Amino acid sequence: MISFLLKKITSLIITLLVSTGVIFILIEVVPGDPVAFMMGLSGSTDAADALRLELGLNVGPWDRYFDWVSGMVNGNFGISYTYRVPVVELIRERALVSVPLTIYALLLSTVIAIPAGLISATRRGSLVDTSFMGFAQLGVAIPNFWFAILLVLFFSTTLKLFSASGFPGWDAGFFICLKALTLPAISLALPQAAILSRVMRSSVLDVMNEDYIRTARAKGLSKKQALFRHGLRNAMIPVLTILGLQFSFLLAGGIIIESVFSLPGLGRLVFQSIIQRDLIVVKSIVTLLVFSVVTITFIVDLLYAAVDPRLREGNS
Amino acid sequence: MTLLKVKDFSLSINDEIILHNINMEIKAGKVLAIVGESGSGKSMMSSAIINLLPQGAKLKGKILLNNDNLLDKSEREMCLHRMNDLGMIFQEPMTALNPLETIGTQIMEAIKLTNPKIRYKDLLKKAELILERVEMDKNRFPLNTYPHKLSGGQRQRVVIAIALSQNPKLLIADEPTTALDVTTQAKIMKLLMKLVKDYGIGIILVSHDLAVVADLADHIVIMRKGKVVEQGDTKTFFKSMKHSYSKQLFDAAKHKLYEKNITVGSEVLLEVLNLTKEYNLANKKPLKAVNNVSFTLNRGENLGLVGESGCGKSTLARCILGLEKFSKGKIHIAGRPFYGQKELRRCINVVFQDPFGSFNPRHTVERLVAEPFYVLKKPLTTFEKRVKVLRMLKLVGLGDGDLKKYPHEFSGGQRQRIAIARALITEPDIILLDESTSALDVIIRTQILDLLRDLTKKLGISYLFISHDLTTVKNITNRVLVMKDGVIVEEGLTAEIYKNPKHHYTKSLIEASPDITRAIKSKEENNNENTL
């Protein structure tokens, strides 16, 4: 168990180090000088040099890389070129929207998909199964921004139950914010739930054909009991993988939905920063996203080990 | 007292008739054997008794358990019968246990189902007792052991323990030892017989091999194509059997000894010298899967390599084939080191165990059989290839029409013929047969063995036959190596070793291997004792 943990943590750290290197190099080769962008067309060379000094851009790439990484380790991500505020502040503010939105969407998708997949699998070929899987097909097929607009038209414009866009900030109160995030969360959750329910269904169907389910049935368990006592945990393993991938995807991939609902989230921040050549923000967010993806993968690995004793031994 | 009676029973699944008008009867404390080839419906029959059938099954007739028709029962009542009266053991022990739960949990669940009011302390005690009963040492295998720590035989014991823990009146064992080694098979069978004796449980033993069940069964039922072709009391069955299929099964089970008039040449084709293969294990000292093994294979020789699973015989095979790098030693083919030598590849080829897994399902037979041609220096034209493939298919007993077919269109035995054709197509000097007949029914097995013997003789090919079953090896080799824990413990002429084994391990292998002549004899002796 301990060797398993050590191995996983080592690979986590190595992945992070390598990814900071790759991000740094990529940002270096991206055309566009942030200083020129900030100074505008009329800036003098002297002023530009002064700005370079201020931003720490006057030294070589190696130094810049180490400054950047050591800064991040100490929680100092630098100062945004465009907004002139600490990057940490900027990200924190946006993450307070994106992270809850992601979790909300993921919860919704899990709550819908797991029972739907389970019911479909246990009633394979029935009307319920066919219609659930039909919906799932539809959920994957329709673009989620279009679905988001439909939601706004129906719930905000017609029924006037939700506000159409914007985010009041957490000071306004938990439930008000939750309400503001509901329509975006539903639109994000729809395609995810559709995929997840299909994975759940096929996973349960596979498990139901396993020999150990037959053994359980021979003990005298009914089909349902055998599924719940022996099948479900086995069926969750592929579902966990997909959930981990979806979390990472939603965290930064919510940009379209953030735009539809005018939410100040991470996705939009990255987008704006790229356009404005605010490279330090881009670098930081991308690194943070990598960090979160790697961490989520790590957590999923731990969950695997919690579910499956074979993985706890650290040899596979 | 009649425990279970199957009366005019028919079964169809999605309107396809699977079983037709089956009648049989089993008494408490007796063993009923159902024997037949795959597809005979014997497994369906056993699943039907416990009513775990695929969807779309339609049942007709009666299955009476203590004069109570099981076919009239609701699913809930059937669950109660499975809990209290019926137990089942399956063919594949490797997958029969839930990998995520400890063996203790799985046994205790079963106990608790039959006895819901049991206190936790008693539950633990009972689970331990039952593991003891199936001869699993509680110090080596405590209740919190996970299934993946256990071998196939040990897992099968746990499955038996689960069935036993519910005190069943009838135990249905569907090919319980087919996936196991001969030595493990003998032990598991002994255990099952002890249960019959000690607890008066009735057992239905399903098998494809008459030799396995002959000395255990009280009553034998021969099934074919969903029908019972013949049945009778074991005491008299072998003397009085009439149906040609029963006789065929009997002949297949009764192996002929190998004809000794083969000429072994002096030319050494394969030389293995001090071969060692080590695996590095995490936190442990390296495992020597193959430990300082030396032997030679001469032209025309038919060599056997026997040992139970885990003894290193498959690792040895992979090393010889150049599929795996070895740690120390030498492997020479035709006097030259083999590893990495493409032009020597033509000299040696292989037939694997699983006729289902060893073909690409999207390739035609023609392409599959022609595949080894890539090792030839001079590429053949398509026409030349086809001519050769056709000739080879004919040799293994397949026809011109099979050329464009895909693997799924063939039965297991036919696929093994295709595998043999593929192995022989480059006219190799040696073929390696790695458990090539273990996955086949007895009748098919003897056919394939006959084919191999004829072909290798005709084409002058030497082979190394690797198997866990001494009976099979005996039939087809003139010299044999016995392997245990990576070391060759005994070697010599097959007939001699079989008659006069020196190493105790060889003795135990011979005793464990099913032999129908011996089985019938021991049955008769038992009867005489009983009547005296």
Side-chain angles (χ1 to χ4, degrees):
Chain A
M1 185 67 202
I2 289 167
S3 78
F4 170 79
L5 269 180
L6 275 178
K7 227 183 239 173
K8 289 285 170 196
I9 290 173
T10 323
S11 85
L12 182 126
I13 292 169
I14 292 172
T15 317
L16 279 179
L17 269 180
V18 171
S19 62
T20 55
V22 172
I23 292 165
F24 186 81
I25 292 166
L26 283 179
I27 298 272
E28 284 287 306
V29 298
V30 167
D33 179 6
V35 172
F37 196 87
M38 286 160 80
M39 300 297 294
L41 289 171
S42 57
S44 70
T45 353
D46 289 347
D49 286 343
L51 188 58
R52 272 206 182 88
L53 192 67
E54 191 194 325
L55 296 176
L57 292 176
N58 56 330
V59 291
W62 275 112
D63 292 315
R64 265 183 287 146
Y65 176 70
F66 283 112
D67 284 349
W68 177 53
V69 173
S70 59
M72 277 196 299
V73 172
N74 295 319
N76 174 17
F77 285 62
I79 291 176
S80 157
Y81 302 158
T82 19
Y83 297 104
R84 296 303 181 105
V85 289
V87 176
V88 179
E89 272 305 302
L90 212 55
I91 292 177
R92 199 183 67 92
E93 209 173 89
R94 300 304 186 101
L96 277 178
V97 180
S98 281
V99 175
L101 178 62
T102 303
I103 295 175
Y104 195 178
L106 215 56
L107 278 178
L108 273 181
S109 107
T110 318
V111 166
I112 299 166
I114 299 225
L118 197 59
I119 293 168
S120 288
T122 46
R123 301 189 190 170
R124 181 185 194 174
S126 71
L127 190 66
V128 185
D129 177 29
T130 327
S131 41
F132 271 10
M133 286 306 113
F135 275 122
Q137 201 75 271
L138 210 63
V140 178
I142 62 171
N144 63 354
F145 60 88
W146 179 70
F147 181 66
I149 294 168
L150 282 188
L151 284 179
V152 170
L153 283 178
F154 187 65
F155 287 104
S156 311
T157 321
T158 314
L159 294 179
K160 307 219 185 298
L161 285 175
F162 292 91
S163 64
S165 67
F167 185 71
W170 289 100
D171 297 335
F174 180 72
F175 286 103
I176 293 173
C177 289
L178 206 63
K179 201 176 159 193
L181 291 179
T182 299
L183 291 188
I186 293 174
S187 359
L188 277 178
L190 176 79
Q192 310 298 337
I195 295 166
L196 204 60
S197 65
R198 293 185 71 91
V199 173
M200 182 71 190
R201 177 177 180 269
S202 67
S203 179
V204 171
L205 284 179
D206 283 349
V207 163
M208 287 307 276
N209 283 327
E210 289 286 347
D211 286 351
Y212 52 78
I213 293 289
R214 196 177 49 176
T215 310
R217 296 266 283 138
K219 281 180 192 175
L221 291 176
S222 72
K223 216 171 177 176
K224 246 193 208 132
Q225 284 171 320
L227 172 63
F228 278 96
R229 291 198 197 172
H230 294 277
L232 218 47
R233 256 176 46 169
N234 279 293
M236 283 314 283
I237 293 173
V239 174
L240 270 180
T241 315
I242 301 291
L243 266 178
L245 292 174
Q246 290 192 339
F247 186 88
S248 317
F249 171 77
L250 287 176
L251 202 55
I255 174 168
I256 295 173
I257 294 299
E258 283 171 11
S259 303
V260 172
F261 290 97
S262 312
L263 292 175
L266 280 175
R268 279 174 85 204
L269 180 62
V270 183
F271 187 64
Q272 284 159 0
S273 311
I274 292 170
I275 292 177
Q276 292 163 347
R277 293 288 179 278
D278 198 347
L279 296 184
I280 191 152
V281 176
V282 178
K283 262 197 303 197
S284 307
I285 296 183
V286 175
T287 312
L288 272 184
L289 288 176
V290 170
F291 180 75
S292 69
V293 171
V294 176
T295 317
I296 293 289
T297 316
F298 176 67
I299 292 171
V300 169
D301 278 347
L302 290 188
L303 285 175
Y304 280 155
V307 173
D308 194 334
R310 287 166 295 186
L311 296 174
R312 261 173 249 161
E313 263 126 63
N315 49 7
S316 53
Chain B
M1 189 190 73
T2 300
L3 181 62
L4 186 97
K5 193 170 181 181
V6 178
K7 212 175 157 197
D8 303 326
F9 178 73
S10 297
L11 166 73
S12 61
I13 296 173
N14 297 328
D15 296 326
E16 190 193 340
I17 294 167
I18 306 291
L19 296 171
H20 189 72
N21 210 18
I22 308 283
N23 284 292
M24 57 178 85
E25 200 178 316
I26 172 166
K27 292 190 171 65
K30 296 281 178 191
V31 180
L32 172 86
I34 305 179
V35 185
E37 62 197 354
S38 48
S40 63
K42 59 191 193 304
S43 284
M44 278 296 170
M45 188 59 238
S46 50
S47 304
I49 294 170
I50 199 162
N51 205 342
L52 288 178
L53 290 164
Q55 268 185 0
K58 271 200 199 89
L59 305 94
K60 255 193 329 208
K62 279 177 186 162
I63 296 179
L64 301 162
L65 180 73
N66 293 327
N67 276 326
D68 198 7
N69 191 359
L70 292 180
L71 300 190
D72 295 339
K73 305 283 176 184
S74 68
E75 175 54 28
R76 183 170 296 188
E77 288 169 314
M78 257 333 275
C79 278
L80 289 174
H81 278 297
R82 285 184 211 122
M83 262 179 229
N84 298 310
D85 306 319
L86 306 168
M88 187 144 184
I89 307 163
F90 306 97
Q91 173 168 1
E92 195 36 82
M94 295 312 275
T95 51
L97 294 169
N98 184 345
L100 307 185
E101 307 264 11
T102 63
I103 56 172
T105 319
Q106 298 187 55
I107 295 170
M108 288 193 286
E109 181 185 32
I111 301 173
K112 222 165 164 197
L113 281 169
T114 357
N115 192 353
K117 288 198 184 107
I118 194 167
R119 293 213 319 269
Y120 186 70
K121 225 173 78 188
D122 299 333
L123 188 62
L124 277 179
K125 214 181 273 168
K126 188 155 187 218
E128 275 179 356
L129 200 77
I130 281 166
L131 271 184
E132 217 167 279
R133 235 199 259 169
V134 295
E135 291 150 21
M136 292 276 281
D137 182 15
K138 71 174 170 203
N139 296 317
R140 259 184 83 201
F141 309 105
L143 291 177
N144 61 6
T145 311
Y146 281 100
H148 69 271
K149 296 271 191 194
L150 305 179
S151 71
Q154 289 158 352
R155 287 187 209 195
Q156 196 63 301
R157 283 171 195 271
V158 176
V159 177
I160 295 173
I162 288 175
L164 269 191
S165 68
Q166 300 183 311
N167 302 320
K169 298 181 181 75
L170 176 68
L171 193 61
I172 303 158
D174 185 1
E175 304 256 13
T177 57
T178 308
L180 304 172
D181 277 335
V182 271
T183 36
T184 322
Q185 164 168 292
K187 285 179 200 154
I188 295 278
M189 283 300 177
K190 215 170 129 200
L191 175 68
L192 286 177
M193 290 316 118
K194 195 163 166 268
L195 298 176
V196 175
K197 225 173 168 184
D198 294 357
Y199 304 99
I201 300 174
I203 293 189
I204 295 182
L205 196 58
V206 177
S207 178
H208 68 96
D209 191 353
L210 210 47
V212 175
V213 299
D215 64 335
L216 310 173
D218 298 294
H219 192 89
I220 290 180
V221 176
I222 308 280
M223 276 184 77
R224 191 186 194 192
K225 292 181 180 162
K227 285 180 190 159
V228 173
V229 297
E230 197 163 8
Q231 60 177 307
D233 195 303
T234 317
K235 282 177 227 161
T236 51
F237 182 80
F238 292 107
K239 279 178 198 138
S240 62
M241 60 185 171
K242 288 187 189 73
H243 200 279
S244 62
Y245 184 68
S246 311
K247 286 178 186 155
Q248 212 182 334
L249 271 178
F250 181 76
D251 289 339
K254 201 167 126 187
H255 289 272
K256 301 159 278 182
L257 253 170
Y258 189 75
E259 37 189 313
K260 286 166 205 79
N261 57 349
I262 63 153
T263 42
V264 176
S266 57
E267 183 194 352
V268 177
L269 288 177
L270 169 72
E271 186 184 16
V272 174
L273 198 67
N274 301 332
L275 187 82
T276 299
K277 167 75 191 171
E278 287 182 345
Y279 286 107
N280 289 320
L281 300 178
N283 316 327
K284 277 179 220 155
K285 62 176 186 187
L287 172 84
K288 283 188 179 171
V290 177
N291 191 357
N292 203 19
V293 165
S294 303
F295 66 90
T296 55
L297 176 67
N298 288 13
R299 184 172 289 284
E301 193 171 30
N302 301 330
L303 184 63
L305 175 65
V306 202
E308 44 188 17
S309 55
C311 76
K313 58 189 194 300
S314 284
T315 310
L316 179 60
R318 295 175 61 82
C319 288
I320 293 172
L321 287 168
L323 296 174
E324 202 151 335
K325 269 194 174 159
F326 42 91
S327 316
K328 266 178 247 158
K330 270 193 255 174
I331 296 175
H332 283 194
I333 285 180
R336 288 157 64 192
F338 177 55
Y339 190 82
Q341 301 284 322
K342 197 178 166 189
E343 68 269 23
L344 286 180
R345 281 237 159 257
R346 192 197 62 80
C347 305
I348 184 163
N349 229 324
V350 62
V351 179
F352 289 112
Q353 172 172 7
D354 185 0
F356 292 89
S358 51
F359 293 118
N360 184 334
R362 295 189 207 293
H363 287 184
T364 60
V365 168
E366 180 174 16
R367 186 162 170 197
L368 289 170
V369 175
E371 189 136 43
F373 281 136
Y374 88 98
V375 300
L376 296 187
K377 262 190 185 149
K378 253 202 255 152
L380 299 174
T381 64
T382 316
F383 179 74
E384 284 171 323
K385 275 188 193 172
R386 178 163 296 178
V387 170
K388 288 200 173 205
V389 169
L390 276 176
R391 197 190 301 144
M392 195 46 77
L393 284 182
K394 207 170 184 182
L395 274 178
V396 298
L398 295 169
D400 297 358
D402 296 322
L403 206 59
K404 290 287 166 213
K405 284 188 189 165
Y406 289 91
H408 72 264
E409 295 172 70
F410 297 93
S411 67
Q414 285 172 323
R415 285 188 217 203
Q416 212 57 320
R417 286 173 192 266
I418 301 172
I420 292 169
R422 177 170 67 180
L424 297 181
I425 193 84
T426 52
E427 295 159 22
D429 301 313
I430 311 163
I431 54 173
L432 209 147
L433 305 158
D434 188 0
E435 300 270 11
S436 303
T437 58
S438 304
L440 304 172
D441 280 339
V442 268
I443 293 182
I444 312 287
R445 183 184 297 173
T446 43
Q447 286 168 359
I448 295 288
L449 288 176
D450 285 344
L451 174 74
L452 278 173
R453 199 168 49 190
D454 294 346
L455 274 183
T456 46
K457 209 169 159 190
K458 202 186 284 174
L459 304 172
I461 299 171
S462 318
Y463 55 77
L464 176 61
F465 192 99
I466 299 176
S467 177
H468 68 274
D469 185 1
L470 207 55
T471 326
T472 314
V473 171
K474 174 182 87 172
N475 196 24
I476 190 169
T477 63
N478 62 309
R479 196 157 66 89
V480 69
L481 314 165
V482 182
M483 196 167 176
K484 185 181 196 310
D485 300 330
V487 184
I488 289 178
V489 293
E490 187 161 2
E491 75 169 289
L493 295 177
T494 312
E496 227 157 85
I497 283 200
Y498 208 79
K499 233 183 276 160
N500 190 14
K502 290 199 177 62
H503 199 277
H504 61 91
Y505 179 68
T506 318
K507 275 180 204 156
S508 73
L509 272 182
I510 292 173
E511 274 161 26
S513 67
D515 182 331
I516 196 157
T517 328
R518 201 169 59 203
I520 294 171
K521 217 166 127 192
S522 88
K523 192 88 198 170
E524 277 168 1
E525 276 165 15
N526 274 337
N527 287 335
N528 293 340
E529 271 169 37
N530 290 345
T531 43
L532 277 173

